[in-house]
Amino acid sequence: MIQLGIDRLLADPAVRQPLHGRRLALLGHPASVTAQGRHSLDALMALDDLRITAAFGPQHGMRGDKQDNMMESADFLDPRHGIPVFSLYGAVRYPTAAMLEQFDVLLVDLQDIGTRIYTYVTTLAYLIDACAAAGKSLWVLDRPNPAGRPIEGSILEPGWESFVGAGPLIMRHGLTLGELARWFVSRRGGDLDLRVVSMDGYRPDAAPGYGWPLAELAWVNPSPNASSLNMARCFPGTVLLEGTTLSEGRGTTVALELVGAPDIDCERILARMESLCCAWTAGVLIRPCWFEPTFHKHVGTLCSGLQFHTDTAAYRHDQFRPYRLTALLLKSLRLEYPDYPLWRVFPYEYETERLAIDLLAGGPLLREWVDDPHAAPGDLEQRLAEDEARWLDETLGLRLYP
Protein backbone atom coordinates (compact mmCIF):
# COMPACT_ATOMS: atom_id res chain seq x y z
CA MET A 1 0.00 0.00 0.00
CA ILE A 2 1.17 3.49 -0.81
CA GLN A 3 2.00 5.88 2.01
CA LEU A 4 1.74 9.56 1.10
CA GLY A 5 4.19 12.18 2.26
CA ILE A 6 1.59 13.67 4.60
CA ASP A 7 0.86 10.26 6.11
CA ARG A 8 4.56 9.56 6.69
CA LEU A 9 4.91 12.93 8.44
CA LEU A 10 1.89 12.23 10.63
CA ALA A 11 2.83 8.65 11.48
CA ASP A 12 6.55 8.95 12.18
CA PRO A 13 7.77 11.33 14.92
CA ALA A 14 11.31 11.01 13.57
CA VAL A 15 10.26 12.45 10.20
CA ARG A 16 8.79 15.57 11.80
CA GLN A 17 11.40 15.97 14.55
CA PRO A 18 13.32 18.66 12.59
CA LEU A 19 10.13 20.75 12.64
CA HIS A 20 9.89 20.94 16.43
CA GLY A 21 9.93 24.46 17.79
CA ARG A 22 9.51 26.06 14.36
CA ARG A 23 6.54 27.98 13.02
CA LEU A 24 4.90 26.07 10.19
CA ALA A 25 2.59 27.05 7.34
CA LEU A 26 0.73 24.74 5.00
CA LEU A 27 0.09 25.31 1.31
CA GLY A 28 -2.89 23.13 0.50
CA HIS A 29 -6.18 22.74 -1.32
CA PRO A 30 -9.23 20.43 -1.19
CA ALA A 31 -7.21 17.40 -2.37
CA SER A 32 -4.70 17.86 0.47
CA VAL A 33 -6.06 14.88 2.36
CA THR A 34 -4.61 11.88 4.13
CA ALA A 35 -5.20 8.36 2.88
CA GLN A 36 -8.09 8.26 5.37
CA GLY A 37 -9.69 11.33 3.80
CA ARG A 38 -8.90 13.85 6.52
CA HIS A 39 -7.78 17.30 5.36
CA SER A 40 -4.06 17.79 5.97
CA LEU A 41 -4.58 21.08 7.81
CA ASP A 42 -6.93 19.45 10.30
CA ALA A 43 -4.59 16.48 10.76
CA LEU A 44 -1.54 18.67 11.32
CA MET A 45 -3.37 20.94 13.76
CA ALA A 46 -4.23 17.87 15.85
CA LEU A 47 -0.57 17.06 16.50
CA ASP A 48 0.78 18.23 19.87
CA ASP A 49 4.38 18.55 18.72
CA LEU A 50 3.89 20.84 15.71
CA ARG A 51 2.92 24.51 15.63
CA ILE A 52 0.91 25.58 12.58
CA THR A 53 0.72 29.36 12.42
CA ALA A 54 -0.65 30.03 8.90
CA ALA A 55 -1.92 28.46 5.72
CA PHE A 56 -1.89 29.33 2.03
CA GLY A 57 -4.34 28.54 -0.73
CA PRO A 58 -3.53 28.41 -4.47
CA GLN A 59 -5.99 28.89 -7.33
CA HIS A 60 -9.49 27.69 -6.37
CA GLY A 61 -8.70 28.20 -2.67
CA MET A 62 -7.54 26.21 0.32
CA ARG A 63 -10.99 24.73 0.84
CA GLY A 64 -12.06 24.86 -2.81
CA ASP A 65 -14.23 27.94 -2.83
CA LYS A 66 -14.00 28.93 -6.51
CA GLN A 67 -15.43 26.70 -9.22
CA ASP A 68 -14.47 28.35 -12.50
CA ASN A 69 -11.13 29.38 -13.96
CA MET A 70 -9.62 32.80 -13.23
CA MET A 71 -11.77 33.52 -10.17
CA GLU A 72 -9.82 35.01 -7.29
CA SER A 73 -10.00 34.06 -3.63
CA ALA A 74 -9.62 36.39 -0.66
CA ASP A 75 -7.57 35.95 2.52
CA PHE A 76 -9.60 34.71 5.48
CA LEU A 77 -9.35 33.42 9.03
CA ASP A 78 -9.84 29.68 9.20
CA PRO A 79 -13.11 29.22 11.12
CA ARG A 80 -12.01 25.99 12.78
CA HIS A 81 -8.43 26.76 13.75
CA GLY A 82 -8.32 30.56 13.88
CA ILE A 83 -5.16 30.88 11.80
CA PRO A 84 -4.80 33.19 8.77
CA VAL A 85 -5.24 31.60 5.35
CA PHE A 86 -3.54 33.68 2.67
CA SER A 87 -4.65 33.55 -0.95
CA LEU A 88 -2.00 33.19 -3.65
CA TYR A 89 -4.63 33.64 -6.34
CA GLY A 90 -6.21 36.91 -5.39
CA ALA A 91 -4.71 40.29 -4.63
CA VAL A 92 -1.28 38.67 -5.10
CA ARG A 93 0.14 35.54 -6.66
CA TYR A 94 3.60 35.94 -5.16
CA PRO A 95 3.77 35.91 -1.33
CA THR A 96 4.33 39.24 0.35
CA ALA A 97 6.96 39.91 2.99
CA ALA A 98 4.21 40.06 5.62
CA MET A 99 3.00 36.60 4.60
CA LEU A 100 6.50 35.16 4.74
CA GLU A 101 6.93 36.57 8.25
CA GLN A 102 4.23 34.19 9.49
CA PHE A 103 6.33 31.00 9.28
CA ASP A 104 9.77 29.42 9.36
CA VAL A 105 8.96 26.30 7.33
CA LEU A 106 6.43 25.96 4.53
CA LEU A 107 4.84 22.54 4.08
CA VAL A 108 3.58 22.06 0.52
CA ASP A 109 0.88 19.42 0.15
CA LEU A 110 -0.67 19.86 -3.28
CA GLN A 111 -2.09 17.22 -5.60
CA ASP A 112 -0.70 17.95 -9.07
CA ILE A 113 -1.90 16.31 -12.29
CA GLY A 114 1.35 16.27 -14.21
CA THR A 115 0.91 19.16 -16.66
CA ARG A 116 3.01 22.32 -17.00
CA ILE A 117 0.10 24.76 -17.16
CA TYR A 118 -1.52 23.61 -13.92
CA THR A 119 -1.13 26.75 -11.84
CA TYR A 120 -0.14 24.88 -8.69
CA VAL A 121 3.19 24.25 -10.44
CA THR A 122 3.72 28.00 -10.88
CA THR A 123 2.69 28.69 -7.28
CA LEU A 124 5.27 26.13 -6.15
CA ALA A 125 7.94 27.87 -8.25
CA TYR A 126 7.07 31.27 -6.82
CA LEU A 127 7.25 29.96 -3.27
CA ILE A 128 10.58 28.27 -3.93
CA ASP A 129 11.95 31.65 -5.03
CA ALA A 130 10.35 33.51 -2.12
CA CYS A 131 11.48 31.06 0.55
CA ALA A 132 15.02 30.98 -0.82
CA ALA A 133 15.22 34.78 -0.75
CA ALA A 134 13.75 35.01 2.75
CA GLY A 135 15.79 32.19 4.30
CA LYS A 136 12.77 29.98 4.86
CA SER A 137 12.69 26.20 4.59
CA LEU A 138 10.31 24.41 2.22
CA TRP A 139 9.16 20.82 2.61
CA VAL A 140 7.15 19.05 -0.09
CA LEU A 141 4.85 16.31 1.18
CA ASP A 142 4.88 14.24 -1.97
CA ARG A 143 1.88 12.82 -3.83
CA PRO A 144 1.37 10.71 -6.96
CA ASN A 145 1.37 12.10 -10.48
CA PRO A 146 -1.83 10.59 -11.89
CA ALA A 147 -0.62 11.11 -15.48
CA GLY A 148 2.33 8.85 -14.73
CA ARG A 149 5.82 8.88 -16.17
CA PRO A 150 5.21 9.52 -19.92
CA ILE A 151 6.72 12.75 -21.23
CA GLU A 152 5.08 14.68 -24.04
CA GLY A 153 4.86 18.05 -25.71
CA SER A 154 7.18 20.95 -26.34
CA ILE A 155 9.32 22.75 -23.78
CA LEU A 156 8.21 26.30 -23.01
CA GLU A 157 10.17 28.72 -25.19
CA PRO A 158 12.27 31.60 -23.77
CA GLY A 159 10.18 34.72 -23.24
CA TRP A 160 6.90 32.81 -22.93
CA GLU A 161 6.89 32.52 -19.15
CA SER A 162 3.50 33.22 -17.56
CA PHE A 163 1.30 32.04 -14.71
CA VAL A 164 0.65 28.90 -16.78
CA GLY A 165 4.32 28.47 -17.59
CA ALA A 166 6.81 29.05 -14.78
CA GLY A 167 9.88 28.08 -16.77
CA PRO A 168 11.25 25.78 -19.48
CA LEU A 169 9.12 22.77 -18.56
CA ILE A 170 7.60 20.36 -21.02
CA MET A 171 3.81 20.06 -21.19
CA ARG A 172 3.48 16.55 -19.69
CA HIS A 173 6.44 16.44 -17.33
CA GLY A 174 6.23 12.94 -15.82
CA LEU A 175 7.32 14.03 -12.33
CA THR A 176 5.76 14.18 -8.90
CA LEU A 177 5.55 17.58 -7.24
CA GLY A 178 8.49 16.71 -5.02
CA GLU A 179 10.61 15.77 -8.02
CA LEU A 180 9.47 18.92 -9.78
CA ALA A 181 10.57 21.00 -6.78
CA ARG A 182 14.01 19.43 -7.09
CA TRP A 183 14.08 20.47 -10.75
CA PHE A 184 13.10 24.07 -9.93
CA VAL A 185 15.82 24.32 -7.28
CA SER A 186 18.41 22.86 -9.66
CA ARG A 187 17.42 25.38 -12.35
CA ARG A 188 16.83 28.49 -10.31
CA GLY A 189 19.69 28.14 -7.85
CA GLY A 190 19.43 29.98 -4.59
CA ASP A 191 20.21 28.71 -1.10
CA LEU A 192 16.97 26.92 -0.27
CA ASP A 193 16.58 24.31 2.44
CA LEU A 194 14.37 21.97 0.37
CA ARG A 195 13.22 18.63 1.72
CA VAL A 196 10.91 16.15 0.08
CA VAL A 197 8.99 13.78 2.33
CA SER A 198 8.77 11.03 -0.24
CA MET A 199 6.08 8.39 -0.58
CA ASP A 200 6.54 4.75 0.34
CA GLY A 201 5.28 2.12 -2.06
CA TYR A 202 4.76 4.42 -5.04
CA ARG A 203 5.12 2.60 -8.37
CA PRO A 204 4.34 5.05 -11.17
CA ASP A 205 4.62 2.49 -13.98
CA ALA A 206 2.37 -0.13 -12.39
CA ALA A 207 -0.92 -1.11 -14.05
CA PRO A 208 -3.77 -0.38 -13.97
CA GLY A 209 -3.30 3.12 -12.54
CA TYR A 210 0.04 3.98 -14.17
CA GLY A 211 0.76 6.75 -11.72
CA TRP A 212 -2.42 6.69 -9.65
CA PRO A 213 -2.78 3.86 -7.08
CA LEU A 214 -6.26 2.67 -7.94
CA ALA A 215 -8.24 1.11 -5.06
CA GLU A 216 -5.77 2.62 -2.57
CA LEU A 217 -6.53 6.36 -2.62
CA ALA A 218 -9.80 8.20 -3.04
CA TRP A 219 -9.91 10.60 -5.98
CA VAL A 220 -10.48 14.10 -4.58
CA ASN A 221 -10.73 16.83 -7.23
CA PRO A 222 -7.52 18.88 -7.00
CA SER A 223 -9.40 21.59 -8.92
CA PRO A 224 -13.14 21.71 -9.52
CA ASN A 225 -13.02 20.33 -13.08
CA ALA A 226 -10.32 17.73 -12.41
CA SER A 227 -13.04 15.23 -11.70
CA SER A 228 -11.41 11.91 -12.58
CA LEU A 229 -8.28 10.00 -13.46
CA ASN A 230 -9.51 10.10 -17.06
CA MET A 231 -9.41 13.90 -16.98
CA ALA A 232 -5.87 13.90 -15.58
CA ARG A 233 -4.69 11.62 -18.36
CA CYS A 234 -6.34 13.73 -21.07
CA PHE A 235 -5.45 17.12 -19.61
CA PRO A 236 -1.98 17.61 -21.17
CA GLY A 237 -3.83 17.82 -24.48
CA THR A 238 -7.35 18.99 -23.74
CA VAL A 239 -6.12 21.99 -21.74
CA LEU A 240 -5.08 23.50 -25.07
CA LEU A 241 -8.78 23.83 -25.89
CA GLU A 242 -9.00 26.65 -23.35
CA GLY A 243 -7.23 28.80 -25.94
CA THR A 244 -9.75 27.99 -28.66
CA THR A 245 -13.39 28.77 -29.40
CA LEU A 246 -14.18 25.07 -29.01
CA SER A 247 -15.83 23.91 -25.82
CA GLU A 248 -13.59 21.83 -23.58
CA GLY A 249 -16.67 20.57 -21.78
CA ARG A 250 -16.93 23.18 -19.03
CA GLY A 251 -20.56 23.28 -18.10
CA THR A 252 -20.81 19.49 -18.34
CA THR A 253 -19.88 16.78 -15.85
CA VAL A 254 -16.84 15.73 -17.91
CA ALA A 255 -14.91 18.95 -18.47
CA LEU A 256 -11.56 18.57 -20.22
CA GLU A 257 -12.47 15.05 -21.29
CA LEU A 258 -14.28 16.12 -24.46
CA VAL A 259 -14.34 18.76 -27.16
CA GLY A 260 -17.00 20.18 -29.42
CA ALA A 261 -18.89 23.09 -30.92
CA PRO A 262 -22.32 23.66 -32.47
CA ASP A 263 -21.06 24.61 -35.93
CA ILE A 264 -18.73 21.71 -36.77
CA ASP A 265 -19.15 18.01 -37.58
CA CYS A 266 -16.87 16.16 -35.17
CA GLU A 267 -17.33 12.80 -36.92
CA ARG A 268 -15.99 14.41 -40.07
CA ILE A 269 -13.05 15.78 -38.09
CA LEU A 270 -12.37 12.37 -36.53
CA ALA A 271 -12.26 10.77 -39.97
CA ARG A 272 -9.72 13.39 -41.05
CA MET A 273 -7.65 12.74 -37.91
CA GLU A 274 -7.51 9.02 -38.61
CA SER A 275 -6.51 9.52 -42.21
CA LEU A 276 -3.96 12.23 -41.43
CA CYS A 277 -2.06 10.47 -38.62
CA CYS A 278 -3.73 7.37 -37.22
CA ALA A 279 -0.80 6.73 -34.85
CA TRP A 280 -1.66 9.88 -32.88
CA THR A 281 -5.15 8.51 -32.15
CA ALA A 282 -3.84 5.27 -30.61
CA GLY A 283 -4.27 4.00 -27.07
CA VAL A 284 -7.60 5.69 -26.33
CA LEU A 285 -11.27 5.22 -27.18
CA ILE A 286 -12.54 8.29 -29.08
CA ARG A 287 -16.32 8.45 -28.99
CA PRO A 288 -18.45 10.83 -31.10
CA CYS A 289 -21.07 12.45 -28.89
CA TRP A 290 -23.40 15.41 -28.39
CA PHE A 291 -23.53 17.70 -25.38
CA GLU A 292 -25.03 21.00 -24.24
CA PRO A 293 -22.95 23.11 -21.82
CA THR A 294 -24.89 24.65 -18.95
CA PHE A 295 -22.33 27.46 -18.64
CA HIS A 296 -19.14 28.74 -20.30
CA LYS A 297 -18.58 28.42 -24.08
CA HIS A 298 -21.65 27.62 -26.21
CA VAL A 299 -23.90 27.64 -23.17
CA GLY A 300 -27.33 26.18 -23.87
CA THR A 301 -26.38 25.11 -27.39
CA LEU A 302 -26.18 21.53 -28.66
CA CYS A 303 -22.60 20.73 -29.66
CA SER A 304 -21.19 18.01 -31.87
CA GLY A 305 -18.29 16.54 -29.94
CA LEU A 306 -15.71 13.86 -29.26
CA GLN A 307 -15.09 12.33 -25.85
CA PHE A 308 -11.82 10.64 -24.92
CA HIS A 309 -11.95 7.52 -22.74
CA THR A 310 -8.90 6.06 -21.01
CA ASP A 311 -10.98 3.85 -18.72
CA THR A 312 -11.67 0.98 -21.13
CA ALA A 313 -9.79 -2.06 -22.43
CA ALA A 314 -8.73 0.10 -25.39
CA TYR A 315 -6.44 2.20 -23.20
CA ARG A 316 -2.71 1.78 -23.77
CA HIS A 317 -0.69 3.91 -21.39
CA ASP A 318 2.49 3.67 -23.46
CA GLN A 319 0.71 4.70 -26.68
CA PHE A 320 -1.72 7.40 -25.56
CA ARG A 321 -0.35 10.84 -26.36
CA PRO A 322 -2.97 13.48 -25.47
CA TYR A 323 -0.89 16.45 -26.66
CA ARG A 324 -0.47 14.95 -30.12
CA LEU A 325 -4.12 13.88 -30.17
CA THR A 326 -5.38 17.39 -29.46
CA ALA A 327 -2.89 18.94 -31.89
CA LEU A 328 -4.13 16.55 -34.57
CA LEU A 329 -7.74 17.48 -33.80
CA LEU A 330 -6.98 21.18 -34.22
CA LYS A 331 -5.05 20.54 -37.42
CA SER A 332 -7.86 18.40 -38.84
CA LEU A 333 -10.44 21.05 -38.00
CA ARG A 334 -8.33 23.68 -39.76
CA LEU A 335 -8.09 21.48 -42.86
CA GLU A 336 -11.82 20.71 -42.87
CA TYR A 337 -12.88 24.27 -42.02
CA PRO A 338 -10.07 26.58 -43.27
CA ASP A 339 -11.83 29.81 -42.22
CA TYR A 340 -13.08 28.63 -38.84
CA PRO A 341 -12.45 31.25 -36.08
CA LEU A 342 -10.47 28.78 -33.98
CA TRP A 343 -8.27 30.91 -31.72
CA ARG A 344 -10.05 32.58 -28.82
CA VAL A 345 -9.04 36.19 -28.08
CA PHE A 346 -9.60 37.05 -24.42
CA PRO A 347 -7.63 37.92 -21.25
CA TYR A 348 -6.12 34.68 -19.96
CA GLU A 349 -4.42 34.21 -16.57
CA TYR A 350 -3.49 37.88 -16.15
CA GLU A 351 -2.26 38.18 -19.76
CA THR A 352 -3.97 40.60 -22.15
CA GLU A 353 -1.56 40.96 -25.06
CA ARG A 354 -0.60 37.41 -26.01
CA LEU A 355 -2.98 34.78 -27.36
CA ALA A 356 -4.11 32.21 -24.82
CA ILE A 357 -3.24 29.33 -27.14
CA ASP A 358 0.37 30.53 -27.29
CA LEU A 359 0.56 30.90 -23.50
CA LEU A 360 -0.81 27.39 -23.08
CA ALA A 361 1.48 25.88 -25.71
CA GLY A 362 4.48 27.79 -24.38
CA GLY A 363 5.06 29.70 -27.60
CA PRO A 364 3.58 30.07 -31.11
CA LEU A 365 4.87 26.75 -32.44
CA LEU A 366 1.61 24.82 -32.16
CA ARG A 367 -0.64 27.57 -33.52
CA GLU A 368 1.65 28.22 -36.47
CA TRP A 369 1.78 24.50 -37.26
CA VAL A 370 -2.02 24.23 -37.15
CA ASP A 371 -2.50 27.28 -39.38
CA ASP A 372 0.17 26.33 -41.95
CA PRO A 373 -1.62 24.35 -44.69
CA HIS A 374 1.69 22.79 -45.76
CA ALA A 375 2.83 21.63 -42.31
CA ALA A 376 2.43 17.89 -41.72
CA PRO A 377 2.35 15.76 -38.56
CA GLY A 378 5.94 14.76 -39.20
CA ASP A 379 7.07 18.36 -38.89
CA LEU A 380 5.58 18.68 -35.42
CA GLU A 381 6.74 15.19 -34.46
CA GLN A 382 10.36 16.12 -35.07
CA ARG A 383 10.22 19.10 -32.72
CA LEU A 384 8.30 17.24 -30.02
CA ALA A 385 10.66 14.26 -30.08
CA GLU A 386 13.67 16.57 -29.66
CA ASP A 387 12.12 18.34 -26.68
CA GLU A 388 10.97 15.09 -25.08
CA ALA A 389 14.46 13.58 -25.30
CA ARG A 390 15.97 16.75 -23.84
CA TRP A 391 13.51 16.81 -20.92
CA LEU A 392 14.11 13.14 -20.10
CA ASP A 393 17.86 13.69 -20.04
CA GLU A 394 17.44 16.77 -17.85
CA THR A 395 15.16 15.17 -15.24
CA LEU A 396 16.04 11.47 -15.05
CA GLY A 397 18.51 12.03 -12.24
CA LEU A 398 15.95 13.95 -10.17
CA ARG A 399 13.48 11.09 -9.88
CA LEU A 400 12.77 9.64 -6.45
CA TYR A 401 10.80 6.63 -7.58
CA PRO A 402 11.50 3.82 -10.09
Side-chain angles (χ1 to χ4, degrees):
M1 293 287 290
I2 189 172
Q3 190 176 31
L4 301 172
I6 179 64
D7 290 316
R8 285 193 58 219
L9 186 74
L10 293 169
D12 189 346
V15 173
R16 60 180 186 268
Q17 194 280 329
L19 299 173
H20 290 175
R22 306 175 77 183
R23 298 171 304 151
L24 311 179
L26 174 70
L27 170 63
H29 59 176
S32 304
V33 295
T34 69
Q36 290 71 42
R38 190 179 189 187
H39 196 278
S40 297
L41 180 60
D42 300 330
L44 289 166
M45 293 293 294
L47 292 174
D48 293 332
D49 58 346
L50 295 186
R51 180 187 173 201
I52 313 296
T53 56
F56 290 85
Q59 184 179 15
H60 305 294
M62 162 64 83
R63 299 289 190 178
D65 54 318
K66 301 299 182 187
Q67 204 281 341
D68 202 358
N69 247 9
M70 294 177 285
M71 296 184 67
E72 297 181 343
S73 300
D75 299 344
F76 67 97
L77 201 66
D78 186 87
R80 175 174 293 179
H81 305 299
I83 62 172
V85 180
F86 299 108
S87 172
L88 294 175
Y89 197 85
V92 299
R93 282 154 299 288
Y94 193 92
T96 66
M99 294 176 182
L100 293 167
E101 279 298 316
Q102 299 290 318
F103 65 89
D104 304 310
V105 183
L106 179 67
L107 306 177
V108 177
D109 188 23
L110 295 175
Q111 178 61 62
D112 184 36
I113 56 174
T115 302
R116 175 183 69 225
I117 69 90
Y118 216 41
T119 61
Y120 305 147
V121 172
T122 305
T123 296
L124 171 67
Y126 288 1
L127 283 164
I128 284 173
D129 291 346
C131 288
K136 308 292 183 178
S137 298
L138 189 148
W139 287 31
V140 177
L141 311 180
D142 216 6
R143 291 182 173 272
N145 177 346
R149 285 301 194 196
I151 291 167
E152 193 192 11
S154 62
I155 293 175
L156 184 137
E157 299 174 29
W160 283 93
E161 294 81 7
S162 72
F163 200 62
V164 290
L169 296 95
I170 205 162
M171 181 64 95
R172 187 179 182 185
H173 54 69
L175 304 176
T176 67
L177 204 67
E179 294 169 335
L180 201 55
R182 285 157 58 91
W183 178 83
F184 276 121
V185 170
S186 72
R187 288 281 309 189
R188 298 164 104 91
D191 185 19
L192 176 69
D193 175 27
L194 170 70
R195 303 194 191 188
V196 178
V197 181
S198 60
M199 295 174 280
D200 281 341
Y202 181 52
R203 297 178 297 151
D205 289 329
Y210 299 105
W212 186 258
L214 288 172
E216 294 186 39
L217 294 179
W219 182 270
V220 180
N221 293 10
S223 55
N225 286 297
S227 59
S228 68
L229 177 58
N230 188 61
M231 179 274 184
R233 289 171 170 170
C234 296
F235 188 64
T238 55
V239 68
L240 295 166
L241 301 171
E242 293 184 0
T244 75
T245 58
L246 307 174
S247 170
E248 65 271 21
R250 292 183 188 275
T252 76
T253 58
V254 285
L256 296 153
E257 300 176 36
L258 81 171
V259 55
D263 50 354
I264 58 175
D265 181 345
C266 277
E267 291 194 57
R268 175 178 155 189
I269 292 170
L270 179 58
R272 172 68 80 132
M273 292 168 64
E274 292 170 339
S275 66
L276 188 61
C277 189
C278 190
W280 287 7
T281 68
V284 60
L285 173 64
I286 305 173
R287 182 181 64 87
C289 63
W290 295 87
F291 63 95
E292 183 178 305
T294 59
F295 60 87
H296 219 260
K297 301 176 196 170
H298 308 305
V299 58
T301 307
L302 187 64
C303 295
S304 170
L306 298 173
Q307 186 171 0
F308 308 122
H309 297 270
T310 67
D311 51 0
T312 76
Y315 181 58
R316 297 292 180 270
H317 191 67
D318 59 338
Q319 297 178 21
F320 178 49
R321 294 293 181 264
Y323 185 93
R324 285 169 172 79
L325 177 65
T326 305
L328 182 64
L329 185 149
L330 298 175
K331 183 70 169 179
S332 298
L333 186 150
R334 177 60 80 221
L335 293 172
E336 291 292 321
Y337 301 89
D339 299 322
Y340 193 84
L342 181 56
W343 310 122
R344 190 179 180 207
V345 180
F346 72 119
Y348 185 75
E349 293 295 356
Y350 304 100
E351 294 275 355
T352 58
E353 300 298 324
R354 299 184 286 183
L355 281 176
I357 186 61
D358 294 346
L359 293 171
L360 288 159
L365 169 73
L366 177 66
R367 175 178 53 81
E368 291 173 352
W369 176 79
V370 169
D371 286 343
D372 183 351
H374 304 294
D379 300 316
L380 184 60
E381 176 64 38
Q382 181 178 354
R383 168 62 182 276
L384 297 183
E386 291 172 358
D387 281 13
E388 289 157 2
R390 173 184 152 197
W391 180 256
L392 178 62
D393 181 66
E394 189 174 323
T395 60
L396 196 58
L398 298 173
R399 294 185 177 186
L400 299 169
Y401 314 96

